[in-house]
Amino acid sequence: MRKTIVTVATLVVFVVAASAAAMPKSTGAGGTIQMSWAAARLATLEPAKGDSVSLTAAYSGVRKQDAVRVQLLCTQDIGVVYADALTLTGSPQTVSFKLGENSATATSVWNGGDAHCVGYLYTVTNVGGGNTAQLASVGFDATG
């Protein structure tokens, strides 16, 4: 009798687990990000080192305990030459970055030359170790 109870209990666990695995997953968080800048020079097709670049981000489906951030990374052949990240306080929100300039949140070793930049919209899970999930990205080239 005892074997039958254990076997039935084990079978119930497997049926529940299989049912949960077959259920459709929720789509979770999602978002968009767009880049803009005010050209300081006429006929400028891309931003340059020293220009302010704005990233407008919109998101939904983010859990209250998770942080939403926008990060901007610019790279050259040597690796990352400019990096900055800011936490968003709402959606939609626009944040600005001054390309190639060190600040309280930014680090730059960009001494000149063209760079490829990517803005990332992502979440940081504040529960269980700080995992991240990318929601959107936008890339652009910048002159040095």
Side-chain angles (χ1 to χ4, degrees), residues 36-38 47-48 50-54 96-99:
S36 63
W37 87 98
D51 284 349
S52 288
V53 172
S54 296
S96 293
F97 302 94
K98 190 148 186 175
L99 295 178

Side-chain angles (χ1 to χ4, degrees), residues 72-76 79-83 99-100 110 115-118 140 142:
L72 182 60
L73 296 175
C74 297
T75 60
Q76 294 176 328
V80 175
V81 294
Y82 174 78
L99 295 178
W110 189 355
H116 181 71
C117 302
V118 180
F140 61 92

Side-chain angles (χ1 to χ4, degrees), residues 5-142:
I5 293 173
V6 171
T7 304
V8 171
T10 304
L11 181 60
V12 169
V13 169
F14 284 122
V15 169
V16 170
S19 298
M23 295 175 77
K25 305 281 189 241
S26 66
T27 57
T32 61
I33 188 167
Q34 297 177 328
M35 186 275 291
S36 63
W37 87 98
R41 296 156 306 283
L42 294 176
T44 300
L45 300 177
E46 54 194 25
K49 180 179 180 255
D51 284 349
S52 288
V53 172
S54 296
L55 297 177
T56 301
Y59 59 89
S60 62
V62 175
R63 300 179 312 172
K64 288 181 184 178
Q65 67 266 30
D66 295 345
V68 180
R69 297 180 58 85
V70 169
Q71 179 180 47
L72 182 60
L73 296 175
C74 297
T75 60
Q76 294 176 328
D77 290 337
I78 62 169
V80 175
V81 294
Y82 174 78
D84 198 355
L86 299 170
T87 301
L88 302 182
T89 57
S91 176
Q93 186 175 349
T94 301
V95 292
S96 293
F97 302 94
K98 190 148 186 175
L99 295 178
E101 185 174 288
N102 285 304
S103 70
T105 58
T107 301
S108 180
V109 294
W110 189 355
N111 293 321
D114 296 347
H116 181 71
C117 302
V118 180
Y120 297 96
L121 173 64
Y122 64 100
T123 61
V124 178
T125 303
N126 291 326
V127 176
N131 294 323
T132 62
Q134 183 177 320
L135 302 179
S137 65
V138 62
F140 61 92
D141 292 322

